[in-house]
Amino acid sequence: MNFKTNITIRLIAYLLVVSVLPLLAYAIVSFDMVKRTVIDLADSYSAQLISNQRDYLLLQTAQIESLAARIASIEEIGLAIANTDASSSKERNSFDELSTQVGIRQSLNAYSNLKGLVSIDLFTAKGNRFYVGDTLAVPAVNDAQRQRIYEAAVKSSQSLIWLGVEDNLNTASPARKVLTAVKVIRRYSEEKRDSEAVGMLLINYSTEYLAENFSRLDLGREAYLLVTDAQGRLVYAPEPGNIGQAAPGEIEALRRSVPVGQASSTERQLGPHKALVNYSCTADGLWCVFGVIPKQTLLAPMNRIALLATIVMLMCFGVIALAGRHFKRKMVAPVKAISDGFRLLQENKFDISRPLPLPTGQDEITELVAWFNAFLETLQMRQRHEQELTQSEYKFSAIFQLSPMALALIRIENGEFVDVNNFWLMQFGFQREDVVGKRSRDFGLWVDLKQRENMVTTLQTANNLDRFEVQQRRKDGRILICELFGRPIEFQHEKLYIFCCVDITRQREAEQQILEINQQLESRVHSRTMVLEQTNRELAAAMNTLNRTKDELVRSEKLAALGSLVAGIAHELNTPIGNSVTVASTLQDESAILRATLESGKLRRSSIDNYLATITTGTELLMRNLGNAHELISSFKQVTVDQSSNQRRPFMLKETLEEIVATLVPMYKKSGHNMHCELVSGVMMDSYPGPLGQVITNFVTNALSHAFEGRSNGMMTLKARMLNPEQVEIIFSDNGIGISDEHHSRVFDPFFTTKLGKGGSGLGMSIAYNIVTSILGGAISLQSRVGEGSSFILILPLCAPMLQGETDHQI
């Protein structure tokens, strides 16, 4: 029963391995790939939407800032504020108040696209108020709060202050929560001969209007959008009652950690579930937009894949169970019958005259039963021939002992001596009890055990032995030179080897004497010279092959480095060029507005001043971004030219290393790692900047691939200083995991890597070593401890040595 059960279980296990396991692996891989794709698409879509909403918010606040600047620049408004404070409250000029409101409303006409304004309050320095809003009544204002806002605005160096989400001062207005902007109004004083603050402009913008825009954004089921101000209060939330309250703790912590002006995404635990959070903050840090998408919402469609894979695997289990049952009935049962037959034969209880019945079919099991029946017939014949074999063995034993040659019978399995004849004992001087039942090494027969190993190898290959010359030792220690002849035989139901050992010691001694007399010294010298010349030619050919291989490897590393530089620089250029396009489009829109104002005949000095301010700011941004792009392209062009060739030229060490580092920034910019440079200035080198750049690139690549494994905030440091008047020292270090002591001596070996099969070729450090020692003419060393980081130290001459075939003209 055990035999049948074990075979069935093995079959089922085999079917599981070849069917269910690959299916399970495919399901897991497919699930993971689809999961990653869904998350990546959602991340990209959410990031684009968040960026658009941030730009929309910036556009609204920019129009409010422009409106505030326009109102503050109206001379009539400043004069009305000064006149109001100069006169008593009873003598307040209604015409000034009316003209002020008219000026504010005329300014609003130029911003017809600006929706969502709740009110515009104009306060004088003494607290007098001019109001334009969504209610006819002018509500009372808290003077202490007004004075606090006014004093803070006067002390601030900013032209306009955003207070963020505040309660609406006008309690009669339906807008409860507003975005408040404050701008100080200044007027030139003839007495002080300087501008002085005469009042402040308070603009309230409706959060409900922003909510109407943000609520139309669709991030998916259960996903939502959050907008916060600089104080961490909610400008927009899905629940209107939460506007003005503090943002959730996880969102507030993320807002504080976001670099100003940057956008990114992360996974955070929000409540009981994980969520994909995309966030983007404005350059001034006033507003942050967050998009929150629960991962369970993204991965909901994955449940169908898991269910389908489960159903398919259950079907596979059912098919395997049916196959096991069929296998047990059609295959295991006949095999068990044969097994029981052999067991009964061993116990002498089986009637060999009654064969097993043949099963139906023409498969291997039927053949096995037929062969078992044939075995029974053979067994009957064997029993008849056993007596004849016994008589034959007796005859063989008589011939073996009386033979005039040294004969030995040895077991194939373990090399034990079964028997030797009398002539063998006489030739080697042993007694029978010294040999029988023992192996040749037990009584020291072999002079050289390697000859025995060669003999065994020959027997395993050819299954026989002819004239195999060996040296064997007699019992008295004298060494005999013998020729062995061996054949396999079967004797008394045991597989043996029969060996004949012929003593040719005297024959070989005579041949050796003749050989020594005839051999000449000149032939020996000639033979050895020919061998040496052939060896030298082979070594020269091997060296040429190695040099060509090394050049190809160096060229491959250069091309790989240049490929990484091109991809990184292309990514870096997108930012300044995109900013330039945005500024140019803004300038185009402002010019169109100015032209329309001019054609309508309503052009004012304030409009020209505002346009000129916008033009000045825009051109500065445009020139700065185009300058950044120009610097990136210049650095990339120089580093690319250097690394695409081994051209020698004079160069400043600091500037060249900075250009190399600038092109490597895209490799680690988004990984959380940083590079710190401490480079001495004024060092002029006459060397090869291209190979030097390749060495630094290999260091950075090696650090990112190996040193910071499992870390997200690694620091790389590049230092350069003068070691003496003729040499410079360059040190590249990292604070990574370090290199174990057992690997120190192999770091610069070709093809040595701790990530074999995981993307590491093991050539980077070897190529760097060859460049430093051969092309740059310097030395390289390693200092590293596990857990404390690694440092690669370069000692380079200021003037590199001349390469083979190089001329002064090339330099």
Side-chain angles (χ1 to χ4, degrees):
M1 179 62 68
N2 291 336
F3 177 76
K4 176 176 67 176
T5 304
N6 288 339
I7 284 184
T8 305
I9 292 175
R10 290 175 185 175
L11 173 66
I12 293 175
Y14 174 78
L15 293 176
L16 288 174
V17 170
V18 300
S19 60
V20 177
L21 289 184
L23 178 61
L24 180 61
Y26 175 76
I28 293 174
V29 172
S30 300
F31 185 88
D32 184 68
M33 291 179 63
V34 175
K35 173 182 174 183
R36 290 178 181 273
T37 303
V38 170
I39 292 177
D40 290 344
L41 290 175
D43 184 38
S44 176
Y45 174 73
S46 176
Q48 183 63 41
L49 291 180
I50 295 302
S51 177
N52 293 341
Q53 298 309 309
R54 181 202 64 191
D55 295 341
Y56 170 78
L57 186 58
L58 279 176
L59 178 61
Q60 298 300 314
T61 56
Q63 292 189 72
I64 294 174
E65 293 174 2
S66 177
L67 174 62
R70 184 186 184 97
I71 295 174
S73 65
I74 299 175
E75 291 292 336
E76 292 81 356
I77 293 178
L79 180 61
I81 292 174
N83 292 337
T84 301
D85 280 351
S87 61
S88 63
S89 60
K90 296 181 179 180
E91 298 175 353
R92 182 170 176 176
N93 191 337
S94 59
F95 176 76
D96 289 342
E97 183 172 356
L98 181 60
S99 64
T100 299
Q101 292 182 352
V102 170
I104 293 175
R105 294 188 182 276
Q106 285 181 347
S107 298
L108 284 173
N109 291 334
Y111 294 86
S112 59
N113 293 330
L114 181 59
K115 308 295 183 181
L117 279 178
V118 175
S119 63
I120 300 177
D121 289 287
L122 192 62
F123 293 97
T124 68
K126 293 182 179 181
N128 293 309
R129 181 183 184 189
F130 298 91
Y131 170 77
V132 175
D134 58 352
T135 61
L136 296 176
V138 180
V141 176
N142 187 327
D143 288 336
Q145 182 179 4
R146 176 195 60 77
Q147 187 63 27
R148 175 179 56 81
I149 295 174
Y150 178 71
E151 292 176 355
V154 171
K155 292 179 181 180
S156 175
S157 61
Q158 300 178 4
S159 61
L160 184 140
I161 301 175
W162 281 99
L163 300 181
V165 182
E166 298 286 345
D167 292 330
N168 193 353
L169 294 177
N170 185 0
T171 57
S173 173
R176 298 303 180 188
K177 295 291 183 178
V178 294
L179 298 183
T180 303
V182 180
K183 182 174 181 63
V184 176
I185 299 178
R186 299 182 181 272
R187 192 166 184 274
Y188 182 77
S189 174
E190 294 292 343
E191 297 177 358
K192 299 180 180 180
R193 295 185 180 276
D194 193 7
S195 62
E196 61 178 355
V198 297
M200 71 174 177
L201 181 65
L202 199 70
I203 300 178
N204 292 323
Y205 188 79
S206 173
T207 58
E208 295 179 359
Y209 180 77
L210 289 177
E212 291 180 5
N213 176 75
F214 291 143
S215 62
R216 292 193 293 267
L217 182 65
D218 184 15
L219 289 176
R221 187 168 57 87
E222 298 183 4
Y224 56 90
L225 182 75
L226 295 176
V227 183
T228 63
D229 60 11
Q231 288 76 33
R233 295 172 296 189
L234 290 173
V235 177
Y236 169 75
E239 296 79 12
N242 293 336
I243 295 179
Q245 298 182 5
E250 298 85 351
I251 297 297
E252 176 61 16
L254 184 60
R255 184 189 70 83
R256 294 180 181 276
S257 65
V258 175
V260 175
Q262 291 190 9
S264 186
S265 63
T266 184
E267 290 186 10
R268 289 296 175 95
Q269 186 75 27
L270 300 179
H273 304 293
K274 280 190 175 182
L276 178 66
V277 182
N278 287 86
Y279 50 89
S280 178
C281 292
T282 59
D284 51 14
L286 291 175
W287 319 104
C288 289
V289 183
F290 299 85
V292 181
I293 305 176
K295 290 193 69 175
Q296 64 177 4
T297 301
L298 292 175
L299 301 181
M302 304 295 295
N303 295 332
R304 294 185 60 189
I305 296 178
L307 178 61
L308 180 61
T310 302
I311 294 174
V312 173
M313 283 190 288
L314 290 177
M315 293 176 62
C316 290
F317 282 126
V319 172
I320 290 172
L322 293 176
R325 180 181 178 186
H326 179 76
F327 178 81
K328 184 189 299 183
R329 185 176 67 254
K330 294 295 184 180
M331 298 184 181
V332 175
V335 172
K336 183 179 182 301
I338 295 174
S339 175
D340 293 338
F342 279 114
R343 178 174 53 81
L344 294 175
L345 281 174
Q346 187 176 9
E347 297 172 357
N348 293 324
K349 297 179 181 179
F350 191 86
D351 186 1
I352 60 177
S353 62
R354 299 179 60 185
L356 295 176
L358 287 175
T360 58
Q362 299 296 328
D363 53 11
E364 289 80 2
I365 297 299
T366 303
E367 293 182 2
L368 183 60
V369 175
W371 279 108
F372 179 79
N373 293 335
F375 168 75
L376 295 179
E377 296 177 0
T378 304
L379 187 60
Q380 294 178 8
M381 297 176 61
R382 179 178 179 181
Q383 290 177 353
R384 291 195 299 266
H385 293 298
E386 282 182 347
Q387 292 180 347
E388 300 175 359
L389 182 60
T390 302
Q391 296 177 356
S392 176
E393 289 176 351
Y394 175 80
K395 296 178 181 179
F396 171 81
S397 177
I399 296 173
F400 177 82
Q401 292 296 336
L402 297 176
S403 174
M405 306 287 290
L407 300 178
L409 287 176
I410 299 177
R411 287 190 176 92
I412 295 178
E413 292 81 5
N414 54 17
E416 288 183 356
F417 279 71
V418 177
D419 198 5
V420 293
N421 65 358
N422 295 330
F423 194 91
W424 192 96
L425 295 174
M426 180 181 65
Q427 179 172 305
F428 290 96
F430 289 95
Q431 300 296 323
R432 190 174 299 277
E433 57 270 19
D434 296 333
V435 177
V436 176
K438 298 179 181 180
R439 295 179 298 177
S440 58
R441 65 180 63 184
D442 296 336
F443 52 88
L445 178 64
W446 290 90
V447 176
D448 187 1
L449 291 177
K450 290 184 178 180
Q451 291 183 347
R452 182 183 182 278
E453 294 175 0
N454 295 335
M455 179 197 72
V456 172
T457 301
T458 303
L459 285 173
Q460 292 174 347
T461 303
N463 205 30
N464 57 62
L465 205 65
D466 290 318
R467 294 186 177 276
F468 191 88
E469 186 171 322
V470 297
Q471 290 182 335
Q472 294 185 333
R473 184 182 293 108
R474 284 174 49 88
K475 186 176 182 179
D476 58 5
R478 187 162 61 92
I479 297 175
L480 301 179
I481 301 175
C482 303
E483 282 186 345
L484 294 182
F485 299 80
R487 295 290 187 275
I489 65 170
E490 186 173 348
F491 182 72
Q492 295 180 350
H493 309 292
E494 188 176 10
K495 293 182 178 180
L496 306 174
Y497 272 115
I498 182 170
F499 287 97
C500 175
C501 184
V502 179
D503 182 8
I504 59 171
T505 303
R506 294 184 178 180
Q507 177 184 348
R508 288 292 180 264
E509 289 175 354
E511 292 175 353
Q512 183 64 28
Q513 292 176 359
I514 296 173
L515 182 62
E516 290 176 354
I517 293 173
N518 294 332
Q519 195 170 19
Q520 300 296 327
L521 179 61
E522 182 178 358
S523 62
R524 293 182 183 178
V525 174
H526 178 72
S527 176
R528 292 178 181 177
T529 302
M530 295 295 293
V531 172
L532 182 60
E533 290 177 353
Q534 179 63 26
T535 303
N536 288 337
R537 287 193 296 270
E538 293 175 355
L539 288 175
M543 183 60 70
N544 291 333
T545 302
L546 288 176
N547 288 333
R548 289 194 298 270
T549 303
K550 181 191 72 175
D551 294 339
E552 289 297 326
L553 291 174
V554 172
R555 189 177 299 108
S556 298
E557 286 290 325
K558 286 183 179 179
L559 293 177
L562 287 177
S564 299
L565 293 181
V566 170
I569 291 300
H571 178 75
E572 288 298 313
L573 285 176
N574 283 336
T575 300
I577 292 176
N579 292 340
S580 300
V581 172
T582 302
V583 171
S585 62
T586 302
L587 294 179
Q588 185 180 15
D589 294 341
E590 290 294 332
S591 299
I593 293 173
L594 182 63
R595 181 178 295 276
T597 304
L598 178 61
E599 292 176 353
S600 64
K602 298 179 180 181
L603 181 64
R604 303 177 64 90
R605 180 180 178 179
S606 59
S607 299
I608 297 176
D609 292 340
N610 183 39
Y611 175 74
L612 292 177
T614 303
I615 289 295
T616 302
T617 303
T619 52
E620 290 177 355
L621 290 174
L622 188 61
M623 291 302 296
R624 184 161 58 251
N625 281 279
L626 292 178
N628 292 339
H630 174 71
E631 292 176 1
L632 283 172
I633 293 174
S634 298
S635 299
F636 174 66
K637 286 172 62 180
Q638 184 59 56
V639 173
T640 303
V641 170
D642 288 338
Q643 292 197 7
S644 62
S645 66
N646 287 341
Q647 183 177 5
R648 177 174 182 156
R649 65 178 177 87
F651 60 91
M652 299 300 293
L653 178 61
K654 179 181 179 182
E655 287 73 6
T656 299
L657 291 180
E658 288 177 345
E659 291 175 351
I660 294 171
V661 171
T663 59
L664 296 177
V665 169
M667 295 175 62
Y668 59 83
K669 180 178 180 181
K670 294 187 178 180
S671 63
H673 309 310
N674 291 304
M675 171 79 79
H676 174 66
C677 296
E678 298 178 10
L679 308 175
V680 66
S681 59
V683 178
M684 172 66 76
M685 295 187 68
D686 183 4
S687 187
Y688 302 89
L692 177 59
Q694 186 177 359
V695 172
I696 301 301
T697 301
N698 286 356
F699 287 162
V700 174
T701 302
N702 186 70
L704 295 176
S705 300
H706 301 277
F708 300 134
E709 186 173 4
R711 303 188 181 187
S712 59
N713 55 350
M715 174 61 71
M716 297 174 287
T717 303
L718 183 63
K719 299 180 180 180
R721 67 182 182 92
M722 289 296 297
L723 191 63
N724 54 55
E726 297 180 354
Q727 290 180 317
V728 65
E729 181 184 59
I730 301 175
I731 301 176
F732 177 86
S733 58
D734 60 71
N735 62 348
I737 60 178
I739 302 173
S740 60
D741 295 339
E742 61 180 338
H743 293 158
H744 279 196
S745 61
R746 302 186 60 194
V747 167
F748 300 113
D749 291 349
F751 304 106
F752 172 73
T753 177
T754 58
K755 289 190 175 182
L756 186 62
K758 300 180 181 180
S761 64
L763 294 175
M765 289 298 99
S766 175
I767 291 175
Y769 177 85
N770 291 331
I771 290 175
V772 171
T773 56
S774 61
I775 298 177
L776 301 180
I780 182 172
S781 60
L782 167 67
Q783 292 181 357
S784 179
R785 287 188 178 181
V786 176
E788 299 181 5
S790 305
S791 296
F792 291 92
I793 303 171
L794 307 181
I795 307 297
L796 303 178
L798 295 181
C799 182
M802 298 284 290
L803 297 180
Q804 184 177 3
E806 189 176 36
T807 64
D808 293 339
H809 177 70
Q810 290 174 323
I811 296 177

